[in-house]
Amino acid sequence: MTTKSNKQIIMEFVGSTNKKDWEKALALLDDKVSRDSSTYVLEQISNKEDLLKFHKNEALTFPDLQETILFMVEEDGIVAARINFRGTQLGQMGAYPPSGKVLDADFNCFFKITNGKITKIWVEYDVLNGLVQLGHVRPPMN
């Protein structure tokens, strides 16, 4: 039996969320996985059930959502990834109604892997860019 590399675990996790294969996604997560982001402060995610709920809600908002890993680097059990997010907002997103517009944006994600499971996720993305693309706010003036 071979051990999966940390990058392979991340590729499988992103692939399973793209396919909405929630069982596979759960299998890659530690029970107490946490997700932190300074750009997402509405709820604390501190276990795999909450993380899965977050991803399922995202899939309801963007049913055609696809994330593509642009590149990854690894050091000391941490995988840093630049990921492209592309999907059409057909569902409610917090206070924002469905726009029918496509969000196409890159974000940075860092994953800590321990004993073959994702234990910590840090995500940073440009919320203003997303809200402008979806037509929910006007771009700031120059």
Side-chain angles (χ1 to χ4, degrees):
M1 181 173 177
T2 60
T3 304
K4 294 179 190 175
S5 73
N6 291 339
K7 287 181 181 180
Q8 182 66 34
I9 290 167
I10 301 312
M11 287 187 287
E12 288 183 16
F13 180 71
V14 171
S16 66
T17 58
N18 281 339
K19 294 175 187 172
K20 299 173 185 70
D21 183 349
W22 307 123
E23 291 294 320
K24 183 165 186 169
L26 275 175
L28 297 167
L29 299 171
D30 183 79
D31 290 343
K32 294 183 180 181
V33 64
S34 64
R35 180 186 185 276
D36 292 320
S37 177
S38 65
T39 52
Y40 190 78
V41 297
L42 298 178
E43 66 184 75
Q44 179 67 21
I45 296 175
S46 59
N47 61 62
K48 67 182 184 179
E49 289 79 17
D50 287 349
L51 183 64
L52 190 64
K53 179 181 173 186
F54 174 85
H55 280 282
K56 285 180 174 181
N57 286 338
E58 196 171 58
L60 290 173
T61 301
F62 297 93
D64 61 346
L65 168 64
Q66 287 294 297
E67 291 183 347
T68 304
I69 297 172
L70 303 174
F71 65 86
M72 292 187 289
V73 294
E74 179 182 0
E75 184 175 325
D76 297 329
I78 305 255
V79 176
R82 181 81 170 158
I83 301 174
N84 176 263
F85 178 109
R86 183 175 175 81
T88 310
Q89 188 204 358
L90 299 179
Q92 189 76 19
M93 185 176 73
Y96 300 103
S99 67
K101 294 184 178 183
V102 172
L103 173 59
D104 187 353
D106 298 338
F107 65 97
N108 299 314
C109 201
F110 304 87
F111 301 88
K112 182 174 177 133
I113 314 296
T114 306
N115 298 322
K117 299 281 187 175
I118 300 169
T119 57
K120 180 86 173 154
I121 304 171
W122 299 269
V123 182
E124 298 300 332
Y125 52 95
D126 184 346
V127 175
L128 180 58
N129 173 42
L131 292 174
V132 168
Q133 282 189 47
L134 295 172
H136 296 303
V137 299
R138 294 177 153 228
M141 296 178 66
N142 294 341

